[in-house]
């Protein structure tokens, strides 16, 4: 465990409904919410997280791990439809050595574009109103984004 004893968990706050306008998915067990920090030139990263607090991948019950991956895949397809991105990166960090800096499990679902230099691009804090507008576009694509529409063959 790396979270301090008095950790005010930002994703437990999300799970309590604190960012409901920025959610793209919520079935009461798994939540998809627009990330607070977005790349300056190609926003759209969604964070997938469990409603219940687990710090890292090592702690996840199998069934929940599966549900988190299913939600990540659905959101990846929705990003293809909603944003027209050319690729999607799934990124999930564990422990400080693994790049983790929020102590509640989360998967980054990141829209990618050829030559976007994602890993060199500065991040900015995106205001809630902007995140809510993006979330609405992605929510609208969730049902339309079935695998046959966004498969690798396209
Ligand atoms: Zn938490």
């Amino acid at each position: 465990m790396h979270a301090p004893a008095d950790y005010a968990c930002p994703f437990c706050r999300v799970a309590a409904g604190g960012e409901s306008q920025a959610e793209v998915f919520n079935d009461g067990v798994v939540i998809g919410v627009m990330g607070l920090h977005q790349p300056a030139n190609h926003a759209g990263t969604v964070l997938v997280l469990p409603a219940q607090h687990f710090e890292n991948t090592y702690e996840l019950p199998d069934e929940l791990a599966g549900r988190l991956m299913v939600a990540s895949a659905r959101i990846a397809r929705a990003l293809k439809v909603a944003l027209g991105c050319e690729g999607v990166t799934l990124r999930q960090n564990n422990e400080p050595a693994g790049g983790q800096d929020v102590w509640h499990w989360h998967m980054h679902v990141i829209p990618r574009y050829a030559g976007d230099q994602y890993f060199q691009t500065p991040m900015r804090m995106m205001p809630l109103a902007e995140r809510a507008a993006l979330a609405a576009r992605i929510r609208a694509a969730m049902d339309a984004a079935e695998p046959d529409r966004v498969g690798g063959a396209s």
Side-chain angles (χ1 to χ4, degrees):
M1 295 270 290
H2 295 280
D6 62 347
Y7 186 54
C9 179
F11 294 159
C12 283
R13 187 180 153 271
V14 168
E19 296 265 309
S20 57
Q21 299 148 282
E23 288 177 5
V24 304
F25 178 82
N26 188 339
D27 67 2
V29 175
V30 174
I31 298 163
V33 64
M34 298 308 302
L36 176 60
H37 298 95
Q38 295 281 346
N41 60 355
H42 41 75
T45 295
V46 176
L47 304 179
V48 177
L49 50 104
Q52 190 180 344
H53 185 96
F54 293 94
E55 181 167 307
N56 55 43
T57 291
Y58 324 133
E59 300 176 352
L60 288 181
D62 287 355
E63 198 222 326
L64 180 58
R67 290 178 70 154
L68 289 163
M69 190 63 216
V70 168
S72 297
R74 286 193 64 203
I75 289 167
R77 292 191 292 266
L79 292 180
K80 291 280 291 175
V81 170
L83 305 179
C85 55
E86 298 169 287
V88 174
T89 294
L90 300 186
R91 188 176 186 206
Q92 196 280 316
N93 303 323
N94 300 284
E95 301 193 84
Q100 186 175 12
D101 58 8
V102 176
W103 312 117
H104 183 134
W105 191 99
H106 58 289
M107 175 83 82
H108 304 246
V109 185
I110 306 164
R112 298 298 306 276
Y113 303 86
D116 65 12
Q117 300 198 297
Y118 174 79
F119 293 100
Q120 288 78 44
T121 300
M123 305 288 277
R124 71 179 182 104
M125 295 248 288
M126 181 177 275
L128 181 59
E130 265 184 76
R131 284 184 289 135
L134 258 178
R137 286 172 61 193
I138 297 164
R139 270 199 312 274
M142 288 291 284
D143 291 333
E146 292 306 313
D148 60 336
R149 289 198 47 191
V150 292
S154 63

